[in-house]
Amino acid sequence: MIAVYILPVVFLAVILVAALRKVKVYDSFAEGIQGAIPLVLSLFPYIAAILILSSLFEASGLSAALERALSPAFSFLGIPPEISRLVLIKPFSGSGSAAVLSEILTEYGADSYIARCASVVYASGETVFYVSAVYFAKLKKKTPLAPVLIALASNFAAILFGCLLCRVL
């Protein structure tokens, strides 16, 4: 119930502090927006590329082929094969992985081991390629390979540990 009031209170507090410090709030806001427009324009090609690649990954059948190929290895590692699609799509797309999670919850029930593992996979990982596109868009020296591999490895470690915890608990 109190959470409903947090955002309006923060908003009013910012305006009050700005008024006390005699800051021109509207002018500062407009100035900030002017700085954001070049940022958005520089990010757009990278974001568009990631969105197109994630759609192609799914539409080409590569996602389904990888899912079938990796299911035995996932099963051996303690990751339910039923969530392999979610494991593969999460680094590419947050909304796509939310849709896959919803399907898993509907099919297996929210209290099942598979659904618990799927929830952990959804919550413990990041959309690595999207975040990398945003981050590396502004860097002059673009060497994303090592950070992306580290992020993917840490996401996978979180998946393994999370599924282990779901099995134990």
Side-chain angles (χ1 to χ4, degrees):
M1 178 76 170
I2 196 166
V4 174
Y5 299 107
I6 291 174
L7 193 56
V9 167
V10 168
F11 182 74
L12 289 173
V14 167
I15 290 189
L16 180 65
V17 169
L20 291 173
R21 292 184 177 182
K22 297 183 173 134
V23 173
K24 294 179 181 179
V25 176
Y26 186 75
D27 292 340
S28 296
F29 178 76
E31 187 179 313
I33 292 298
Q34 285 177 343
I37 291 171
L39 175 65
V40 170
L41 291 176
S42 70
L43 288 177
F44 182 74
Y46 298 99
I47 301 298
I50 291 301
L51 292 174
I52 291 168
L53 288 174
S54 65
S55 294
L56 285 174
F57 181 67
E58 187 74 25
S60 69
L62 182 58
S63 175
L66 275 174
E67 181 183 333
R68 284 189 304 276
L70 293 176
S71 285
F74 284 171
S75 183
F76 176 76
L77 293 171
I79 301 170
E82 295 86 356
I83 68 168
S84 57
R85 181 172 173 221
L86 178 63
V87 171
L88 291 175
I89 203 117
K90 180 62 178 170
F92 290 99
S93 170
S95 58
S97 59
V100 172
L101 175 64
S102 179
E103 291 172 10
I104 291 170
L105 294 175
T106 301
E107 185 173 343
Y108 297 101
D111 292 333
S112 68
Y113 168 68
I114 292 168
R116 288 193 319 266
C117 285
S119 296
V120 167
V121 168
Y122 180 77
S124 66
E126 184 56 71
T127 52
V128 172
F129 295 105
Y130 177 83
V131 171
S132 297
V134 171
Y135 179 73
F136 286 106
K138 290 302 284 181
L139 291 180
K140 302 248 186 260
K141 184 179 178 186
K142 294 177 178 29
T143 54
L145 183 60
V148 167
L149 290 176
I150 291 168
L152 288 172
S154 64
N155 274 359
F156 193 69
I159 290 167
L160 287 173
F161 187 68
C163 288
L164 173 68
L165 285 178
C166 287
R167 194 171 341 125
V168 171
L169 300 177

